Every structure is written in C-alpha cells, then in structure tokens.
Amino acid sequence: MRTKIVLTTLCVLFVSAPTAAAPPALETILPASTDVLLVIEDAPSFLEKLETGPWGRLWNDKSLSPFTQALAESMEVDTWDDKVKEETGYTLTELMENLSGQAAVLMPDFAAIELEEETGEPAPLALIAAVKDENLFSPRLARYLALDEDHAEEVEESEEEHLGVTLHLFASKGEDPESGWTVIDGVAVVAEPVSYLKEVVGYLKGNRPKATLSGLSEFQRMRENASQSDAYLYMNLTSLTSIIQEEMEEEAEGEEPDPTFDDLAFMDALAIDVFQGLYVSIWQNDRESGVDAGLLYREERGLVNLIAYVPG
C-alpha cells in the first residue's frame, strides 16, 4: 500500500485537471502528534498551474524537447493511462480530474514503523482526497491502492458500520481485516490498519483531537514561512529525534564505554533535541515558481549554531 499511495500522489505532478474551490484545511482536524503530512492544497488548481505555469512552459519549451521527450519515454508516460485503466477501470487522467480539492498522505507515528517489524502490525498510513464523483472511487480502485499486487487475489472483502459510515475492509483469507476504504461527504479515505481508518473517519465526522496541527507553534511557523505553498511536506522532528535518542541510550546500556568516542556525549553536543520540524514547500504562479524548505527549532544550540542563518 505504501508504494502505491506515494506513487499515486507523485503522479499528480504530471496530469492536468480543471480548477476547483479549496477544501477545509486538514491541519484543523488532524492531531498535533501527526509525524508526517504530505499535502496538495488544492489539487485541481495545483495541476492547472503545473500545466500553464513556469514548469509547464519549461516542459513544453521546444529547445528542451530532446531532453523532455527522452525523460517521458524513460518514464513511459504515454502508457500510464492504459496501465491504470487496466487495474482500476479508469484512466489516470480520469482519476486525477475527479479530484476536487485537498489530497494528502499522512503517517501519524514514526515509532509504529519500528514496531511493525516486531509485531507485524502495519504502521498507520492513510491517503485522503476530496473527490467530485464518489462513485468513481470504486472498490476496484481501492483494491489497487490498498493491496499488494502479489496477494490481491487472495484477499477477502467485508463491510462494517462505524459512526454511520460504511467501511469496506480487506483481509487475508482467514485473518482479521488489515486495511480498508470509505468515502465520507466527498472525501475518499484509504488507510491501514483498520483501527487507523476508523480514527481518520472519526476526525472527518467531527471527533476532533484536543490538540491539532493547526494549533502547534512549529506548524504555524512553517505555514508563515511557506505562506505561498501549493503543496508541502511536513515532518515532526521532535518525535523522530526522541526515538533516535532512546535507541542510542538503550544500545549504550550494558556496553563498555569507548574511551576514544562517546556516542551519547556527541549527540548531546549536536543537541538534536532542539529540532521541532522539517518542511518542504512548492509554490508557483503565472510568472514564477519556487521551493521553500526549512528546519524548525526551539533554541540555538549545538548543530543549529552551525547551520542556521534565519531565525527558526
């Protein structure tokens, strides 16, 4: 599921669609603890800008055609529609044109990735997209996004009601459901595990967390620094650095200290605990485009003193 969701989101960068009104911001309903959020703010508008803006004009520049044609051929762009239609019943163009607003991939918990190796429980992951035609988001499309190609034919499907919403679930034969999908008031959701699908449904149905991303100071700074953003990636570094430090402390327990190099002292000197977030933002208009990126931190200490040149 992870590969297909990321590839599907990246494919948005190469397909055009008509404009549409921007949807409500996801950061107002997602918990502040969300570790990774990849968002296209208004997919139809973003796609149109890609086609008509600076990047589109650069791609269509005749002087660059030897390069762009070779790149398109190497990526087999001309086959994308047919391949996706074979798997889902719709061309990639039709699916992208069905987007009506925000599209996002979210991963709420870095720690769950490590636990996945120990427990076999998939780390929570979700694809959320506002769609024009709910019927176009079909079971066949959901299977394509959620399931591994090698095992898709061995999967059993079932339904479950949750908060007044019908969840369509997938499970290996004889096992409990592992992933699923639903459409709520024009918002399609594909997620794993099922517990996370239910959690996301709860957010969309109004069961908001006490603390949301929009109320997080470092997220607010990212939005201020990248105010022109059409698409962005946000990562919670507080969570990631805590995991790194805990793992290093566990490894150091019971080991003879190295007289030539102290790992923990080195990490303390770097002061990675001051990092709060990382972001990359893409923006464009009729005349120009750009990519903004930044590290968010709470104080100038350690590694920050070496790399910071703008207050974070």
Side-chain angles (χ1 to χ4, degrees):
M1 175 177 170
R2 287 166 175 73
T3 302
K4 286 183 179 176
I5 281 184
V6 172
L7 288 178
T8 301
T9 305
L10 292 178
C11 283
V12 169
L13 301 176
F14 299 94
V15 187
S16 64
T19 57
L26 279 172
E27 61 256 36
T28 63
I29 66 171
L30 295 177
S33 58
T34 302
D35 281 343
V36 179
L37 181 61
L38 173 62
V39 174
I40 296 174
E41 295 282 24
D42 182 351
S45 175
F46 180 68
L47 294 166
E48 184 177 19
K49 288 178 180 179
L50 281 178
E51 184 177 19
T52 62
W55 292 347
R57 293 196 296 272
L58 183 65
W59 180 267
N60 294 318
D61 190 317
K62 292 182 179 180
S63 64
L64 292 176
S65 60
F67 168 76
T68 55
Q69 287 180 6
L71 181 59
E73 288 174 5
S74 68
M75 297 174 65
E76 300 181 341
V77 172
D78 290 340
T79 67
W80 287 2
D81 271 348
D82 292 337
K83 286 181 178 179
V84 174
K85 186 170 185 176
E86 183 180 344
E87 295 286 347
T88 69
Y90 303 101
T91 66
L92 181 60
T93 300
E94 289 172 331
L95 295 176
M96 294 300 102
E97 287 179 346
N98 192 40
L99 296 173
S100 65
Q102 243 177 357
V105 177
L106 52 141
M107 183 182 294
D109 189 2
F110 278 131
I113 299 173
E114 185 176 6
L115 289 175
E116 181 175 5
E117 299 178 359
E118 300 175 6
T119 65
E121 178 79 4
L125 179 71
L127 167 66
I128 302 176
V131 294
K132 298 173 186 173
D133 183 355
E134 295 186 8
N135 295 322
L136 199 64
F137 199 89
S138 63
R140 190 174 171 187
L141 172 58
R143 285 176 65 91
Y144 174 73
L145 290 172
L147 303 177
D148 187 320
E149 293 177 7
D150 297 333
H151 305 291
E153 299 303 321
E154 305 170 7
V155 167
E156 297 176 336
E157 298 182 37
S158 61
E159 293 184 357
E160 179 181 333
E161 293 296 315
H162 179 68
L163 299 178
V165 176
T166 301
L167 307 182
H168 307 271
L169 308 179
F170 301 118
S172 300
K173 289 185 178 179
E175 302 291 337
D176 293 332
E178 301 158 354
S179 60
W181 67 279
T182 191
V183 182
I184 309 170
D185 300 326
V187 178
V189 183
V190 182
E192 64 178 13
V194 174
S195 59
Y196 189 54
L197 174 63
K198 292 180 178 180
E199 188 176 324
V200 173
V201 167
Y203 301 148
L204 292 169
K205 293 292 288 183
N207 297 339
R208 308 291 166 80
K210 291 182 179 179
T212 64
L213 274 175
S214 60
L216 198 63
S217 62
E218 51 265 39
F219 191 87
Q220 291 172 358
R221 296 206 308 277
M222 183 271 286
R223 295 298 268 169
E224 291 172 2
N225 295 340
S227 59
Q228 302 183 82
S229 178
D230 290 311
Y232 68 83
L233 168 68
Y234 167 80
M235 294 178 62
N236 179 351
L237 293 187
T238 300
S239 174
L240 182 59
T241 55
S242 295
I243 293 171
I244 293 172
Q245 288 183 313
E246 288 175 8
E247 289 183 350
M248 292 191 67
E249 289 172 359
E250 289 176 3
E251 291 177 2
E253 288 182 4
E255 292 185 357
E256 289 293 328
D258 185 344
T260 61
F261 187 81
D262 188 327
D263 291 349
L264 294 179
F266 177 68
M267 293 302 290
D268 285 342
L270 291 179
I272 63 171
D273 59 296
V274 305
F275 291 118
Q276 297 174 301
L278 166 72
Y279 69 88
V280 179
S281 166
I282 298 173
W283 59 271
Q284 59 180 326
N285 53 43
D286 292 339
R287 299 182 59 185
E288 56 185 356
S289 62
V291 177
D292 297 322
L295 279 170
L296 304 164
Y297 54 90
R298 62 173 177 267
E299 61 179 296
E300 294 187 15
R301 181 162 55 88
L303 187 59
V304 170
N305 285 325
L306 298 177
I307 62 176
Y309 61 92
V310 174

